[in-house]
């Protein structure tokens, strides 16, 4: 029997409120932050879980549903669930074309409201830097995956120490909050995002944490000069 947390922690409540406030401009901001490459990242993340013909898929921290919609579009007949801590984000997701075909739910990534061994695949984007306990978050994903199921994650990474680092760091630290102010009128939200991106774990460390959670066949692919990474991992087959 898995013991679950009683409620969203204080940090989670703060994050939910922040994303509620930027929900209507979130997609545009992500497109700008990734220099227009966000659709490619979304597609590659879903590709990484190797969906079968009629999979049951969970997208955690689904936001406005990009990964959930991509999974539904890639596999006709897929049963797709999208979970997010922000009700405003989910309100946007529900109104998108095809939104009525996806099962949306408000919930905490550290206390997933699903039974063990439920899903063939789990996806998430920009989740791990927003939780207070990555190990618990990964353990929950491991729990709800069926044996042999795949997980894939899209995350920003701290810039590697190379010639690009001063420029990418400056972009995330100074340019992104100013763009956010123009687009969302809420620069504090993206100052938070840029700060957590710079302070986040390296892709190698995230892969190691996935292995510590019990996942096998782990790997990742870097993008944008090492400042973005798509991770994948598998729950061992019984």
């Amino acid at each position: 029997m898995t013991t679950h947390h009683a409620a969203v922690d204080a940090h989670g409540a703060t994050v939910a409120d922040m994303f509620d406030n930027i929900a209507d401009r979130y997609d545009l901001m992500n497109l700008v932050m990734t220099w227009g490459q966000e659709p490619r990242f979304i597609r590659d993340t879903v590709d990484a879980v190797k969906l079968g013909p009629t999979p049951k898929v969970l997208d955690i921290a689904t936001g406005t549903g990009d990964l959930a919609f991509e999974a539904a579009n890639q596999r006709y007949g897929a049963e797709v669930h999208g979970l997010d801590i922000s009700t405003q984000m989910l309100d946007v997701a529900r109104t998108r074309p095809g939104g009525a075909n996806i099962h949306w739910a408000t919930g905490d990534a550290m206390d997933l409201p699903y039974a063990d061994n439920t899903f063939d695949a789990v996806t998430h984007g920009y989740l791990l830097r927003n939780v207070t306990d990555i190990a618990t978050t990964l353990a929950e994903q491991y729990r709800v995956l069926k044996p042999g199921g795949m997980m894939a994650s899209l995350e920003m990474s701290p810039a590697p120490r190379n010639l690009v680092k001063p420029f990418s760091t400056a972009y995330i630290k100074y340019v992104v909050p100013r763009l956010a102010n123009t687009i969302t009128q809420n620069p504090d939200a993206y100052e938070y995002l840029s700060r957590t991106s710079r302070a986040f774990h390296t892709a190698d460390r995230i892969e190691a944490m996935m292995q510590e959670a019990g996942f096998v066949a782990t790997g990742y692919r870097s993008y944008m000069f090492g400042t973005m990474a798509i991770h994948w991992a598998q729950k061992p087959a019984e």
Side-chain angles (χ1 to χ4, degrees):
M1 183 72 179
T2 303
T3 300
H4 294 317
H5 304 267
V8 173
D9 63 13
H11 176 75
T14 300
V15 170
D17 187 57
M18 180 189 72
F19 281 108
D20 279 345
N21 289 331
I22 61 173
D24 60 340
R25 291 300 180 95
Y26 180 73
D27 291 335
L28 176 59
M29 192 62 220
N30 275 347
L31 199 62
V32 171
M33 285 176 67
T34 60
W35 298 8
Q37 295 194 67
E38 183 79 356
R40 175 193 175 198
F41 298 155
I42 295 297
R43 185 175 63 250
D44 287 359
T45 302
V46 174
D47 285 345
V49 293
K50 300 180 171 63
L51 295 177
T54 55
K56 191 168 184 176
V57 183
L58 171 63
D59 182 42
I60 307 171
T62 193
T64 57
D66 282 350
L67 285 166
F69 284 111
E70 177 67 21
N73 290 337
Q74 283 198 16
R75 291 292 183 274
Y76 179 79
E79 180 184 325
V80 181
H81 295 250
L83 180 93
D84 202 276
I85 202 169
S86 165
T87 55
Q88 297 281 77
M89 285 285 202
L90 291 174
D91 286 345
V92 174
R94 286 188 181 94
T95 63
R96 293 177 63 179
N101 299 324
I102 294 174
H103 305 269
W104 307 106
T106 305
D108 183 359
M110 296 191 296
D111 183 20
L112 297 175
Y114 306 104
D116 297 359
N117 308 319
T118 298
F119 295 98
D120 300 293
V122 169
T123 60
H124 48 94
Y126 314 122
L127 165 65
L128 297 181
R129 65 171 178 208
N130 289 319
V131 297
T132 52
D133 189 336
I134 293 175
T136 296
T137 303
L138 293 175
E140 277 291 272
Q141 294 171 32
Y142 187 95
R143 179 182 68 79
V144 301
L145 271 172
K146 296 176 183 177
M150 293 285 294
M151 177 266 279
S153 167
L154 171 63
E155 293 290 343
M156 296 183 81
S157 299
R161 296 187 181 280
N162 56 27
L163 290 174
V164 177
K165 183 176 175 68
F167 302 100
S168 59
T169 299
Y171 177 73
I172 293 171
K173 186 174 182 180
Y174 300 112
V175 178
V176 166
R178 284 167 174 76
L179 287 171
N181 189 31
T182 302
I183 294 174
T184 69
Q185 304 299 309
N186 191 325
D188 290 347
Y190 283 91
E191 194 285 321
Y192 162 84
L193 294 182
S194 72
R195 184 178 72 251
T196 53
S197 298
R198 298 195 307 276
F200 194 53
H201 298 295
T202 64
D204 283 339
R205 178 62 189 132
I206 292 299
E207 181 178 17
M209 294 177 86
M210 291 176 176
Q211 293 168 354
E212 289 161 12
F215 287 102
V216 298
T218 60
Y220 69 87
R221 179 180 176 187
S222 294
Y223 298 80
M224 290 182 66
F225 305 106
T227 60
M228 300 279 289
I230 292 175
H231 293 264
W232 56 84
Q234 186 175 31
K235 182 173 178 175
E238 287 182 337

